Amino acid sequence: MSLTSLSLLLLSSAAPIVAQDGADLTVQETAPATVPGETGRSEEDVQRSSVASEIVVTARRRSEQAQDVPIPISVVGVKELDNTGSFNVARLAQLQPTLQFYSTNPRNSSVNIRGLGAPLGLTNDGIDQGVGVYIDQVYFSRVAVATLDFLDVQQVETLRGPQGTLYGKNTVAGAISITSKPPSFDFEGRAEVSLGNLGFKQAKASISGPLGETVAARFGVATTSRRGTVYNVATGNYVNEQDNLGLRGAILWRASDSLDLTLSADYNRQDPECCAQIYVRYGPTQRAAARQYPALTAAFGYAVPSTNPFDRLTDVDADLNATNTLGGVSLRGELDLGQGTLTSVTAWRFWDWLPANDRDFTGLPITTLSQNPTRQDQFTQEFRYAGDGAGFDYVIGAFAFYQDIHTTGTQRQGPAASRWLINPSNPLSNDPTVLDGLTASNDIRLKNFSGALFGKLNWRLTDRLTLSPGIRLNYDDKVGSYVSIVRDGQGVLVPATGGTPRQVEQRAALQPQAFVDEAYRAWNVSYDLTASYKPSRDVLLYATYAHSFKSGGLNLNGVPVVGGVPQTQFAQVKPEQVDHFELGVKSQFWDRKATLNVTGFWTAIKDYQALVNDGANSTLRGYLANAGEVRVRGVEADFSLRPSERLSLYVNGAYTDHEYVEFTNAPCPPELSGGGSGAVIGQPGTPGTNSPIACDISGQWLPGISNWAFSFGGEANQPASILGKSGEVYLGVDANTRSKFSSNASRSIYTDIDGYALTNFRLGFRTDDGINVFAWVRNAFDVEYFDVLATTPGNTGLIAGNVGDPRTWGGTLSFSF
C-alpha cells in the first residue's frame, strides 16, 4: 500500500489517538481520577464534553485549557498511550513530529525538541540536557529515564521552546512533563495484558482506593519483555531485547481542607542483553589502505555474518549488558494559601548503570571489555506559589538541585588489537602481546549544584490582551575530575610520556591522563516575554521572545593531551546563549469540532556545546567545547477533526530548517579523516591521502533533524453488542513519516539516513463497562529503516548502526473498574 493510499484510508475511516494542542482526550478507560494540582476535582469536572477546549494541562503550573495556553503543547492521554503502544519516549516520538529520540543504549541517548537539546551521539556527564524530563513535577537529570516504560501515567505534555521561568531546571529546547494517575478516594483499578510476536509480553496493573477518610493510596506495576531483534551467531542469543520492570506507589493525605500531601516512590529496572550496533557498510577514509576495514579483516581472514544489516545478524564477541536501574522518593505538598496555592516538591533519586559493550563492533577480539558503570544520586527541592490578583495571576518560586555522579570505566584490549590498531609497517603490529590485556581504568566524578529563583506574571491588560513577562536567576557550581590509569597486560603502568617503543604504541591506543577538581561556576539570567490576544472565544494569537541559556560544563570524557600533559584549559565549556522567537495561533471552528494550531519559530544558539577539534593545539582527539552558532527555524501545524462521536482524525506536521551557522573547528567526517598531515588535502574517501586537522562545517545540517516530518491518523467506531456486551467496534490507524536526516555530528556521505514512513493499525472492541480488546500491528508494511548510524573508532571506514524494529503484531486485553 502506498503512502497516498494510506492517507486516503485515514481520511475515510479513522479517528484521533493523539491530542496535539487540544485534540480529544475524553474517552476514558479509567474511573474518574483527580486532576494534577486539583486534587479535589475529578476528570469528569474538567472534561465534561468531547470538544478540544476541555483538555486540561498544567504546563504553567495551574490547571488550564490547552487552547488558552500561549505555549505550543502536545498532549497525549492514557487511552492514546495504550492504544498506540506508546509505552516510552521512543514510541511517543513517533506521534510528535518535532520530538526526536535517539539511543544506542540508555546512557548514550538524547531527547531533542525541534532538533535541539543534546547533540546526537554526544554523552558527557559534565553537561546538562537541553530538554527537561519531569515526572510528577520532579526533574530527572539523566536521559536514561526516557528509555523506561511509562508507569501508571495519566497524560504526557510536551512543551516546545525554552522553559525555566515557570518551574524546575532551566531547559533551552523544551520539556516533557509526565503526570501519573493520583491516588483516588473511589476504589478503582485497571489491568492490561499484551502478547505479540518476537515473544512480546507486557502487563500493566494499578489499583487505588481509600485507606481512611483522609488517606488514599495507589499502586502500579508494569513489565515488558521481548526477544531481541538481532541474532548473535557467536553466542546463539538474540540481542537488543527488552526486559523492563517498573513499580510505583503513592499515598495522598488530605491533612486539612487546604493541605494535601502526596508521598510517592518508584523503582524501575531494565536488564536486557543489549546493545549491539551491527555492520552497515564500509565507507573509505583517508587512512592508508592497509589500515582500513577491508585490509584489516582480510589479514585475519574475517568476514561479518552478513553485509546486509536487515538480515539482523552479528557476531560480536564481547559481553553485552545494559542494566539500568532508576528510582526514588518524593513528597509533594499543596497548600491553599491566600489567593493561591503554595507547592513544595522534595525528591531524592538514584541511577545505577551497569553496562558492557563491544566497542570494536566485530567478532574479532580487539576490544574485549568496554564499560562505564555509573552511580548517581540526585536531590531536588522546589517551592512555588501560584497566585491570583485583580487582573493578573503569577507564579514565583525557588529551585535547588544537587547531583553526585561517580563513574568507574574500564576498557581492555584483546589479542587482535595490535594487528588492528598499530600501523602494519611497524613490526610491533605482528606482536599480539603489545596490546593484549592493555587496560584503561577510568575514575570520573562530578558534584553538580544548581539553584534558581524564577517568576512569571500574566497581566490581563484587557479581556482580550495579556502580557506575560518571566525571569530566572540561576547559579551553577560544578566540580569534576577525570583520571585514566593505563596498564599493560602484565600490570605495568604505561607512562604519560616517553617510555619504550611498545609503550608509545600502547599510549597511542589508550592515553593515560588525569585532572582533578576542575570547577565551573557562573550566574546566569533568563527572561522571556509573551503577548497573547484573543480576538474571539476560539482564537488565540501569541508571540514570544525568550533569552535563555544552557549551563556551562566540564569535559569529563578527557581533554586533549600534548606531550603527555593534559590540556586542562579545555576542561571547562562555556554556556550556550539562546535567543528564541515564536509566533503562534490556536484556533477552533465548526462548533469546536475542528482544531488548528500553527506555530512559527526561530532559535539561534551561540557557543553551541559540541565536539570540536583545535588544530592550533595539535589536538589528536575530539573534545567538548563551543561551536560558534547554530540556527533552527521552522513551522509546525497541528490539526484535529471530530465531526461526530464516530469519527475523528488528526494530522500534525513540521518543516524545520537547521544549520551550523558558524562551526569552523569541527571534527571531520570519516571521508576526510585518518590521513596524513600536509598542505595538500586529499579527495574525500581516498585512502593514503592527507586529512585536515579540523573541518569547517558552517552551513551544514545539524544531526538528527529532518526537514519534513508528519504524523497522521485517527479512529472510526460503530456501536455494537458482542457476547451480550454493549460497546463499540473501532478501527484505528496512526502513521508517521520523515525526510532524510544526518546521523553524524559532522554530516558525512556515509551516515545520512533516508526518510521513511511507519504505519500502525489496530482493530478492537471496547465495552461500556471498561473492557477493551484489540489486535494491533506496528510497522505494518515492514519498512526497513535505521534509527542511528555511527562511525566507529580508528578511521577504518566501518559504519555501524541500529536497525529499526521490523513488523510486530499482537493483541491487548484491558479491564478497568
Side-chain angles (χ1 to χ4, degrees):
M1 180 183 293
S2 70
L3 196 57
T4 302
S5 301
L6 176 62
S7 300
L8 294 174
L9 173 64
L10 290 173
L11 292 174
S12 62
S13 65
I17 43 84
V18 181
Q20 301 282 349
D21 285 356
D24 176 60
L25 277 180
T26 58
V27 181
Q28 300 293 325
E29 295 182 359
T30 58
T34 55
V35 174
E38 298 276 343
T39 51
R41 301 171 63 204
S42 73
E43 287 177 2
E44 290 180 335
D45 293 332
V46 295
Q47 297 181 342
R48 293 180 297 275
S49 74
S50 63
V51 297
S53 63
E54 296 300 325
I55 292 181
V56 173
V57 298
T58 57
R60 298 196 294 183
R61 291 315 188 213
R62 60 179 71 242
S63 294
E64 301 174 282
Q65 294 177 0
Q67 287 297 104
D68 292 336
V69 179
I71 300 173
I73 311 171
S74 298
V75 186
V76 183
V78 58
K79 170 178 170 283
E80 289 71 30
L81 292 170
D82 292 341
N83 283 348
T84 60
S86 302
F87 56 85
N88 57 28
V89 172
R91 295 289 186 90
L92 183 67
Q94 295 185 12
L95 306 178
Q96 300 181 2
T98 51
L99 174 64
Q100 297 99 23
F101 177 76
Y102 304 99
S103 179
T104 55
N105 61 49
R107 183 175 186 268
N108 292 285
S109 301
S110 58
V111 179
N112 288 349
I113 293 176
R114 297 169 173 168
L116 300 175
L120 187 155
L122 175 58
T123 300
N124 192 306
D125 290 338
I127 62 170
D128 292 345
Q129 297 295 315
V131 174
V133 178
Y134 295 83
I135 300 181
D136 297 327
Q137 304 185 37
V138 176
Y139 173 72
F140 283 57
S141 63
R142 303 308 303 193
V143 72
V145 68
T147 66
L148 299 177
D149 291 359
F150 294 144
L151 179 58
D152 203 19
V153 166
Q154 182 61 40
Q155 71 181 32
V156 180
E157 302 171 23
T158 302
L159 286 67
R160 304 190 287 273
Q163 310 297 323
T165 62
L166 282 165
Y167 53 87
K169 195 83 166 65
N170 192 65
T171 52
V172 297
I176 299 173
S177 179
I178 301 169
T179 302
S180 303
K181 296 177 184 177
S184 170
F185 283 93
D186 295 319
F187 185 63
E188 63 181 39
R190 187 174 185 276
E192 176 183 293
V193 175
S194 298
L195 299 175
N197 67 327
L198 302 180
F200 178 77
K201 297 183 288 293
Q202 186 176 71
K204 305 176 185 177
S206 63
I207 191 168
S208 184
L211 299 181
E213 291 186 359
T214 61
V215 178
R218 186 174 198 96
F219 179 76
V221 59
T223 178
T224 302
S225 64
R226 192 184 74 177
R227 196 198 75 190
T229 56
V230 173
Y231 182 70
N232 189 339
V233 300
T235 63
N237 296 335
Y238 284 93
V239 299
N240 297 2
E241 61 188 1
Q242 296 176 2
D243 185 3
N244 306 341
L245 171 67
L247 305 169
R248 180 182 182 274
I251 297 176
L252 166 65
W253 177 32
R254 188 148 291 162
S256 69
D257 291 340
S258 60
L259 176 62
D260 285 348
L261 297 172
T262 303
L263 178 67
S264 61
D266 66 276
Y267 174 85
N268 301 271
R269 179 180 174 86
Q270 296 175 326
D271 192 20
E273 187 174 358
C274 189
C275 301
Q277 291 178 275
I278 64 177
Y279 177 98
V280 173
R281 64 173 65 99
Y282 162 64
T285 72
Q286 293 175 318
R287 202 182 199 196
R291 303 194 67 189
Q292 296 205 39
Y293 183 81
L296 291 169
T297 53
F300 288 99
Y302 168 79
V304 293
S306 174
T307 56
N308 178 1
F310 295 104
D311 287 342
R312 301 177 186 272
L313 298 176
T314 188
D315 62 348
V316 293
D317 56 335
D319 288 339
L320 295 178
N321 188 50
T323 302
N324 183 38
T325 307
L326 296 96
V329 179
S330 69
L331 175 65
R332 185 174 75 247
E334 295 167 309
L335 174 66
D336 291 338
L337 185 65
Q339 298 299 310
T341 301
L342 176 64
T343 300
S344 170
V345 184
T346 307
W348 163 74
R349 299 211 56 81
F350 72 89
W351 178 52
D352 284 334
W353 168 235
L354 185 62
N357 307 294
D358 192 313
R359 291 294 298 160
D360 58 57
F361 305 91
T362 72
L364 295 170
I366 302 166
T367 301
T368 57
L369 181 64
S370 178
Q371 57 184 17
N372 283 284
T374 299
R375 167 74 189 196
Q376 177 205 265
D377 287 285
Q378 169 195 309
F379 302 88
T380 55
Q381 174 63 59
E382 182 168 356
F383 293 105
R384 189 176 63 249
Y385 184 76
D388 292 290
F392 65 91
D393 60 73
Y394 59 92
V395 174
I396 56 173
F399 175 76
F401 164 84
Y402 178 75
Q403 177 187 46
D404 189 338
I405 304 177
H406 186 197
T407 299
T408 53
T410 306
Q411 180 170 327
R412 180 176 301 129
Q413 304 305 125
S418 295
R419 180 64 186 84
W420 190 271
L421 299 175
I422 300 175
N423 193 323
S425 63
N426 187 332
L428 291 176
S429 67
N430 296 315
D431 183 354
T433 67
V434 176
L435 298 184
D436 188 17
L438 183 71
T439 303
S441 299
N442 303 328
D443 189 87
I444 307 170
R445 299 174 186 265
L446 174 68
K447 296 185 183 298
N448 179 11
F449 170 79
S450 180
L453 300 174
F454 56 86
K456 184 80 169 180
L457 172 68
N458 298 312
W459 180 21
R460 294 181 289 277
L461 278 72
T462 70
D463 290 343
R464 298 178 183 272
L465 178 63
T466 300
L467 291 181
S468 303
I471 192 167
R472 178 188 184 93
L473 176 65
N474 203 95
Y475 175 70
D476 289 291
D477 187 325
K478 299 179 180 180
V479 179
S481 301
Y482 178 88
V483 177
S484 180
I485 297 173
V486 180
R487 298 178 184 273
D488 67 15
Q490 289 71 47
V492 177
L493 279 172
V494 176
T497 185
T500 66
R502 291 172 62 95
Q503 290 174 327
V504 170
E505 295 300 331
Q506 291 165 348
R507 190 165 56 247
L510 296 174
Q511 174 70 60
Q513 65 166 289
F515 59 86
V516 297
D517 293 337
E518 285 290 332
Y520 168 84
R521 297 182 176 94
W523 291 88
N524 276 286
V525 176
S526 295
Y527 49 88
D528 55 47
L529 176 64
T530 297
S532 58
Y533 179 69
K534 293 203 72 168
S536 68
R537 182 192 68 165
D538 293 332
V539 177
L540 174 68
L541 308 174
Y542 63 93
T544 296
Y545 168 69
H547 178 77
S548 187
F549 74 98
K550 186 166 79 170
S551 168
L554 300 173
N555 261 307
L556 295 185
N557 287 349
V559 296
V561 176
V562 178
V565 180
Q567 304 298 289
T568 55
Q569 68 269 31
F570 301 118
Q572 292 192 26
V573 185
K574 294 188 293 186
E576 295 181 351
Q577 302 294 329
V578 182
D579 287 294
H580 173 79
F581 302 86
E582 194 157 295
L583 291 172
V585 56
K586 295 188 174 185
S587 64
Q588 294 179 289
F589 49 94
W590 195 13
D591 195 25
R592 294 191 173 183
K593 295 175 182 177
T595 299
L596 175 62
N597 300 325
V598 181
T599 307
F601 60 90
W602 185 307
T603 304
I605 302 179
K606 294 183 178 179
D607 293 326
Y608 182 70
Q609 294 171 354
L611 285 177
V612 307
N613 278 351
D614 190 339
N617 290 279
S618 302
T619 299
L620 300 178
R621 60 177 291 169
Y623 63 99
L624 186 65
N626 300 93
E629 183 179 353
V630 303
R631 184 203 65 222
V632 175
R633 61 188 177 186
V635 178
E636 305 164 339
D638 300 325
F639 176 71
S640 63
L641 177 67
R642 184 159 188 166
S644 73
E645 293 182 359
R646 301 288 163 243
L647 177 65
S648 49
L649 306 165
Y650 73 93
V651 179
N652 309 309
Y655 170 74
T656 308
D657 175 57
H658 51 95
E659 68 173 30
Y660 294 105
V661 176
E662 180 187 357
F663 196 176
T664 59
N665 58 338
C668 293
E671 62 268 25
L672 283 171
S673 300
S677 59
V680 179
I681 303 301
Q683 291 297 309
T686 304
T689 58
N690 295 330
S691 298
I693 296 176
C695 284
D696 182 352
I697 62 171
S698 303
Q700 292 189 12
W701 281 0
L702 293 170
I705 314 176
S706 295
N707 286 137
W708 295 97
F710 294 91
S711 63
F712 51 95
E715 186 180 288
N717 66 74
Q718 181 66 36
S721 179
I722 299 178
L723 299 177
K725 292 283 189 179
S726 61
E728 59 186 24
V729 174
Y730 61 91
L731 170 66
V733 184
D734 60 279
N736 66 91
T737 182
R738 62 183 304 183
S739 60
K740 178 186 291 187
F741 63 97
S742 168
S743 187
N744 198 57
S746 297
R747 190 179 180 191
S748 168
I749 58 177
Y750 305 135
T751 56
D752 275 0
I753 295 179
D754 290 334
Y756 55 85
L758 304 177
T759 309
N760 306 327
F761 295 94
R762 63 188 183 280
L763 174 66
F765 175 69
R766 61 172 72 96
T767 70
D768 297 335
D769 58 359
I771 297 175
N772 186 20
V773 57
F774 62 97
W776 45 264
V777 57
R778 296 170 186 138
N779 188 8
F781 305 116
D782 204 19
V783 174
E784 296 179 341
Y785 67 101
F786 295 104
D787 286 322
V788 174
L789 293 179
T791 59
T792 59
N795 297 306
T796 67
L798 172 61
I799 306 296
N802 288 39
V803 291
D805 277 356
R807 178 195 295 120
T808 58
W809 49 264
T812 297
L813 171 64
S814 67
F815 172 74
S816 59
F817 60 89

